[in-house]
Amino acid sequence: MTLPRHLSPIISVLMVARNAARFIDAALRSARAQTLRQIEIVVVDDGSIDETASIVRSHAKVDGRVRLVAGPSRGLGAVRNVSIASARGRFAAVLDADDLLHPDHLEALLALQAATGAAICASNMVAFSQAARGITASAFAAGQEWQCRREIALDEYIRCGMIGTRNVSLGYLKPLFDMRFLRDFNIAYDERLRVGEDFDLVLRAMLAGGRFHFSPQTTYYYRRHAQSTSHRLAQSDLRGLMAAARDYMLHRPDLGLLLGGRIDNLEGARRQIGALEALRAGRMLTALRCVGRHPGARDLLLSSLRESCLKRLGLWDDGDRNAADRAGCPAVPGNHLTALRRLLQPAPSPF
C-alpha cells in the first residue's frame, strides 16, 4: 500500500531499532494492519548488525508507507530525535521494535485526541510474555483508578515516576503526540539520558502546558523478555535523571517540593545500586556506607535483597508482583487477547 501523493499521513508511527530482527517483523505487521490507513511508519535503524534493516526493506517493498532511516549511533535519545525530525504526520505515535499494536490502536488514540484536544494521549497496555507454556498477559495499569478515561495531572505523573513505589509507571506508556505542540515549544528527547527519556519528554511537554489524557483501552502490547533493557539501571543513568530534574526546577521553582522529592528518590536508587555493586564484590562496609542514612536507599536495598532470596529459592513469581493491585479489576478483554495471539503467529511469506 502507498499513500496517494496528495495525502499526507495523519499519524507517523515512530520506531527505533538496533539488532531487533527477532521481533521487528511482527511489530511492523501490526503497524501496517492498523484500521487507520493514512499513516506512515518511520523506522530508524541505529547500526544493526543483524537482519533488522533487511526486514524493514522487505516491508517497504510491499508497503510504501514504511520508511527506513539511518540512525546517528549517538544513543537512544539521539535516535528518537531522528525519528521525530523524520515524521511528516500531524501526530506521532511511539512503537517500540519489540512491541505490537492492536489493529484499532491508532484510530482509538486519534479519537481520544479529537475529543480532548490533548497534546499527549496514551492507552493502557497489555504486558505480555511468551514461553514454552504459552502466553501470559495482564493489564499494565490495573488498579481501579485506571478503568476510566481521564486526564493525568502533573503531580500525579511525577509521583508515578518514583522508583520502588507501587504506583503505575506512567513513563512506560507509549503516547500519541501532537507534533505541532512539540515543535512550537521546541520539545525533543534529551540526548544526555540513556534511560527514562520517554518519561522526560512527556514531563517537559506537561511542564510547557501540554495536557495528558489516558484511555483504559488495552490497545498497546508491551513485550517483556530477557533482552529488554527497560529495567537495567546504572549509577550514571540516575545521575543523568537527577540533572534533568534540576533543570526542570530552574524553569518551575513552584514545583520545587515535588521535583525535590523526585531527586531524593533517584538519589536513593543510585545509592541502592552502589550498595548492590559493593555486596557483589564482597565489600559489606562499602555497601553500608553507600546506603548511609538515606531511608529510600535502605528500603530499595531491602526490597532487592528480598527479591533475590526468593528467586534463589524458586519462590519469586514476576506475574504475581501486582496481584493485589489487580484484585477485582477487569481482565484484559478477550478480543484483545485474541488479537495478540493472531499478531504472534508466524508471518506468511512473502511479506
Side-chain angles (χ1 to χ4, degrees):
M1 178 178 180
T2 301
L3 282 178
R5 291 186 177 181
H6 67 281
L7 290 179
S8 296
I10 298 172
I11 295 178
S12 298
V13 179
L14 304 182
M15 186 186 303
V16 301
R18 183 178 177 84
N19 297 329
R22 180 180 173 190
F23 300 118
I24 197 168
D25 175 59
L28 285 167
R29 285 188 286 116
S30 75
R32 289 174 53 200
Q34 291 296 292
T35 54
L36 180 68
R37 310 303 291 169
Q38 198 172 334
I39 66 173
E40 66 171 354
I41 304 162
V42 181
V43 184
V44 182
D45 177 36
D46 198 38
S48 295
I49 58 174
D50 63 3
E51 296 301 312
T52 296
S54 176
I55 293 170
V56 178
R57 290 190 192 99
S58 297
H59 282 271
K61 284 180 181 178
V62 296
D63 192 333
R65 299 174 303 168
V66 179
R67 286 196 289 135
L68 178 63
V69 179
S73 299
R74 294 200 316 270
L76 187 53
V79 182
R80 290 204 185 277
N81 280 335
V82 170
S83 71
I84 286 180
S86 303
R88 298 181 298 169
R90 172 71 172 78
F91 302 95
V94 176
L95 170 61
D96 284 351
D98 49 358
D99 294 340
L100 303 166
L101 302 180
H102 185 279
D104 297 333
H105 178 70
L106 296 181
E107 194 166 6
L109 284 183
L110 193 62
L112 177 62
Q113 199 284 328
T116 63
I120 311 147
C121 295
S123 72
N124 200 353
M125 305 191 297
V126 176
F128 76 96
S129 60
Q130 284 180 283
R133 59 186 178 183
I135 300 168
T136 58
S138 61
F140 180 80
Q144 291 288 352
E145 68 272 28
W146 302 106
Q147 303 308 314
C148 60
R149 181 187 290 188
R150 64 186 183 88
E151 183 171 358
I152 307 298
L154 178 61
D155 59 343
E156 179 183 17
Y157 186 75
I158 294 174
R159 285 198 308 273
C160 285
M162 299 293 189
I163 296 171
T165 68
R166 295 181 66 85
N167 296 323
V168 173
S169 299
L170 297 176
Y172 282 91
L173 298 179
K174 305 301 178 184
L176 177 81
F177 291 105
D178 182 340
M179 291 301 293
R180 186 176 301 163
F181 180 89
L182 294 187
R183 286 166 178 155
D184 284 349
F185 288 91
N186 196 29
I187 296 171
Y189 285 94
D190 187 337
E191 298 187 11
R192 299 173 300 175
L193 301 179
R194 193 188 73 88
V195 298
E197 71 287 341
D198 295 317
F199 176 91
D200 173 80
L201 182 78
V202 171
L203 179 54
R204 283 187 289 114
M206 295 178 77
L207 290 170
R211 291 182 296 117
F212 184 2
H213 275 257
F214 169 84
S215 166
Q217 296 183 57
T218 48
T219 55
Y220 188 100
Y221 299 112
Y222 169 60
R223 189 192 300 264
R224 299 184 187 275
H225 58 92
Q227 287 74 42
S228 174
T229 59
S230 299
H231 301 288
R232 299 172 188 172
L233 291 173
Q235 292 193 60
S236 58
D237 298 330
L238 293 161
R239 290 191 184 98
L241 292 171
M242 284 189 280
R246 293 188 185 98
D247 288 347
Y248 311 148
M249 293 176 70
L250 294 176
H251 300 287
R252 291 292 300 271
D254 56 309
L255 296 174
L257 185 62
L258 190 59
L259 292 171
R262 173 168 171 77
I263 292 171
D264 186 64
N265 173 256
L266 293 169
E267 172 61 17
R270 186 195 67 78
R271 289 171 177 248
Q272 173 221 15
I273 291 173
L276 288 172
E277 290 172 350
L279 288 174
R280 292 188 190 104
R283 300 196 301 270
M284 178 66 72
L285 290 178
T286 302
L288 292 174
R289 283 195 292 269
C290 285
V291 172
R293 296 187 178 182
H294 195 289
R298 180 196 60 212
D299 293 344
L300 288 169
L301 179 61
L302 290 174
S303 177
S304 292
L305 293 175
R306 174 181 176 275
E307 178 179 333
S308 179
C309 288
L310 290 174
K311 284 181 176 178
R312 285 172 181 252
L313 294 171
L315 300 175
W316 178 259
D317 186 349
D318 236 8
D320 291 337
R321 179 181 295 183
N322 295 317
D325 295 336
R326 291 197 294 270
C329 295
V332 176
N335 61 327
H336 287 202
L337 289 176
T338 299
L340 173 60
R341 293 188 182 98
R342 188 178 299 120
L343 290 168
L344 291 171
Q345 291 175 357
S349 182
F351 295 97

